[in-house]
Amino acid sequence: MKVIEVTVTPIAIPDVPIANTKGVHSTVFLRSVIQVRTDTGLVGLAETYGAKRTLAGLSTVAPVLEGLNPYDLHDLRRRTEAALPDAGGVNAPTALADHKLVDVVYSAFELACLDLQGKHAGRPLYDLLGGAVRKTIPFGGYLFFKFAKQDLTFGPDIMGEIMTPDALVAQARDFVSQYGFRSLKLKGGVLEPDLEVETILKLREAFPHHPLRIDPMGAWTVPTAKRVVDQLDGVLEYLEDPCRGMDAMAELSAQISMPLATNLVVVEFEQIIEAVKKDAVQIILSDHHYWRGPRGCIHLGEICRAAGLGVSMHSNSHLGISLAAMCHVAAATPGLTYDCDTHYPWSTKEIVSAGRPAFKDGALQVPEGPGLGVELDHEAVAELHALYNLAMVKDRDDTDEMLKYKPDYMRKVPRW
C-alpha cells in the first residue's frame, strides 16, 4: 500500500463569540480536512487546525508523501521534518502557548495513516493503539461566558449573552439537559475572579454531584490564584492553568493541595521533566493534534503513569473526524480517568456522513468501524470550503476580535 495523492481542504465553520482571557472567538473557526489516497483505493482521513501556519505546513508536506507506506510512520516523521526544517510554531502571536509546526503536521498525517492501517486491516483505530480499556467515553460540559453574536452573516447565535454567574448556571442547565453531561468545566479568566468564584459556587449548588473545573488560561497571579483556591477548596476536581508559566504554577503548587492541570505550560515531552522536577502540575491534558498524533498521546499517558501524573484531554473547536479520533485515543489510554473536554456542542455543522453523534449521559461510544470508523460527507466539506473562501478569515486572533465587543480592550495576561 502506497500513498498516491494527498488533499488538504481548508474549511470555515460558523462560530459564536465565546470568551477567554485573551479575547473572543471569531464569526468562524478554521479547520483543515485531510484525505490521503492510496494505490489500493483506500482513503485515510484526518482533521486539524486550519489557520494559515498549519495550512501552509500541511500543504508543504502533502506532495512529499507520495510513495509513502502508511505503515511506516518513522518514514512519515522523516519526510515531515525534512520538508519543514526550522519551521517554528503554528499559533498566532496572541496565543498563550505554541505548538511546533512539525508536530502538528506530523500528528495530522499520522492520524490519516492510522485510519488507513485500520481500514486495510479491518480493525478499529483503538486496536492499533493497544486496545480499548473503555468503549464509552465520558465528556464534560464545556461552559463559556459569551457575548451576543453581532454578525449573523455566517450562522446563528447560541444562547445569546452570558456574562453573569446566573446566566452561566442557566447555560449549564441547558447543556446538562440536552447532553446529559455529568461533569462541568468553566472557561474562566473573563470576569473578575470573585465573580468566577461565585459562578463555581452556584454551579456546585445547582449540580451538587458534578465534578467541576475552571480554566482561567493564566489570567491570575499566584496570590490571586491562592485566594481562589482557598475559597474553592473541596469544590473543584482540579484547577487548570490558573497562572502563566511553569515557575508561577510551581510556586502556587507548593502552597496548595488542590491538583493543578495544564495544557499551556506542558505541551511537549521535554517539558514534562521540568514540570515533575518543579512539581508544577499534577495533571497533563492530552491532545492528539499536537502531542505527536494518537500514538504520541498513548506515549504521553505512559510517561504520566511512570511520573505519577494524571491525564485529562484537551479540546479545541472541532468536528466529527477529530471527535472520533479523541474517542479512540481516550479508549486506548488506561490512565485517562477524567472526563474529556469538548467544544462540540458549540457548533451545529458536521463533515462526517453519519451526521452529528448523539451524547447519552454525557458520553459517546467509540466508533466500531475500521480505522476511525467515520466517512466523509463530501457535500458538507464543499459547503464549508466555500464558506472559508467567502468569510476571508485566514487566522485566529481572539484579541483583535474582542475589539468588536469592547473597543477599549487591552490584552493582559495575567490580568488579576
Side-chain angles (χ1 to χ4, degrees):
M1 184 166 57
K2 300 292 183 184
V3 173
I4 59 172
E5 183 184 25
V6 177
T7 304
V8 179
T9 306
I11 61 174
I13 302 94
D15 205 355
V16 295
I18 55 179
N20 57 64
T21 195
K22 59 185 174 60
V24 67
H25 283 206
S26 180
T27 53
V28 296
F29 68 87
L30 306 175
R31 303 297 278 175
S32 297
V33 179
I34 298 163
Q35 300 175 73
V36 177
R37 294 178 174 83
T38 69
D39 57 0
T40 65
L42 295 175
V43 179
L45 301 178
E47 172 196 336
T48 189
Y49 313 132
K52 61 183 182 181
R53 293 166 183 82
T54 298
L55 190 59
L58 293 168
S59 299
T60 298
V61 173
V64 307
L65 299 186
E66 183 176 346
L68 174 74
N69 176 356
Y71 284 95
D72 192 348
L73 298 178
H74 293 303
D75 189 22
L76 171 62
R77 185 72 188 188
R78 285 192 297 269
R79 294 184 187 216
T80 303
E81 290 178 345
L84 298 173
D86 304 317
V90 300
N91 288 337
T94 54
L96 296 176
D98 207 357
H99 309 304
K100 291 180 179 178
L101 179 61
V102 68
D103 287 343
V104 169
V105 171
Y106 170 81
S107 296
F109 287 126
E110 182 190 272
L111 177 60
C113 285
L114 290 172
D115 188 34
L116 282 168
Q117 291 179 28
K119 288 174 177 175
H120 188 248
R123 305 300 303 171
L125 194 148
Y126 61 71
D127 275 349
L128 307 179
L129 301 176
V133 296
R134 62 186 68 84
K135 293 188 178 180
T136 300
I137 310 302
F139 288 85
Y142 209 158
L143 310 176
F144 288 84
F145 295 107
K146 66 179 292 290
F147 298 98
K149 190 171 183 176
Q150 295 178 351
D151 183 355
L152 302 179
T153 304
F154 302 125
D157 197 5
I158 297 175
M159 297 188 183
E161 181 175 289
I162 301 166
M163 278 292 172
T164 66
D166 288 338
L168 197 287
V169 172
Q171 177 192 132
R173 292 187 188 280
D174 189 285
F175 269 26
V176 170
S177 174
Q178 283 193 61
Y179 304 102
F181 292 125
R182 296 185 174 184
S183 65
L184 298 167
K185 172 178 172 176
L186 172 64
K187 181 65 77 177
V190 177
L191 305 184
E192 295 279 346
D194 286 344
L195 282 175
E196 295 190 348
V197 168
E198 179 184 342
T199 302
I200 292 292
L201 293 175
K202 286 187 172 183
L203 284 170
R204 169 52 70 233
E205 182 179 356
F207 303 96
H209 304 298
H210 280 56
L212 301 177
R213 317 167 188 169
I214 184 172
D215 172 19
M217 293 181 66
W220 301 335
T221 62
V222 172
T224 298
K226 175 62 166 59
R227 178 167 58 85
V228 170
V229 169
D230 289 344
Q231 295 177 81
L232 296 180
D233 188 36
V235 177
L236 294 178
E237 179 181 33
Y238 62 68
L239 176 59
E240 181 182 336
D241 284 312
C243 306
R244 187 172 188 184
M246 184 83 74
D247 290 339
M249 291 283 282
E251 182 182 348
L252 176 63
S253 180
Q255 301 177 45
I256 65 175
S257 59
M258 181 182 293
L260 297 180
T262 187
N263 78 291
L264 292 182
V265 303
V266 181
V267 295
E268 298 173 15
F269 287 104
E270 295 80 1
Q271 294 167 339
I272 300 173
I273 299 170
E274 180 184 1
V276 170
K277 287 181 176 179
K278 294 181 176 180
D279 192 25
V281 300
Q282 290 74 47
I283 301 162
I284 296 176
L285 273 64
S286 168
D287 187 326
H288 72 272
H289 297 93
Y290 61 84
W291 276 106
R292 301 191 183 183
R295 295 192 318 151
C297 289
I298 302 304
H299 185 50
L300 171 64
E302 287 301 302
I303 292 176
C304 288
R305 180 194 59 78
L309 300 174
V311 181
S312 190
M313 185 176 285
H314 172 250
S315 163
N316 53 24
S317 298
H318 60 88
L319 296 174
I321 298 175
S322 284
L323 184 61
M326 292 170 68
C327 286
H328 282 281
V329 171
T333 305
L336 184 74
T337 56
Y338 299 96
D339 293 355
C340 301
D341 293 347
T342 182
H343 285 66
Y344 195 73
W346 290 102
S347 171
T348 59
K349 298 292 185 177
E350 188 46 88
I351 56 171
V352 298
S353 58
R356 292 178 64 83
F359 288 83
K360 182 178 180 181
D361 296 329
L364 293 177
Q365 298 301 308
V366 186
E368 288 291 349
L372 281 165
V374 298
E375 296 297 336
L376 204 57
D377 182 335
H378 294 277
E379 291 186 4
V381 172
E383 173 193 332
L384 296 178
H385 178 60
L387 180 57
Y388 176 85
N389 292 326
L390 179 65
M392 296 300 292
V393 176
K394 305 304 179 188
D395 212 352
R396 176 175 174 175
D397 191 335
D398 289 15
T399 301
D400 184 64
E401 188 70 18
M402 180 65 107
L403 298 176
K404 298 177 183 178
Y405 296 88
K406 290 188 174 183
D408 60 345
Y409 180 79
M410 293 185 63
R411 179 182 184 274
K412 183 181 180 183
V413 185
R415 184 171 294 276
W416 292 282

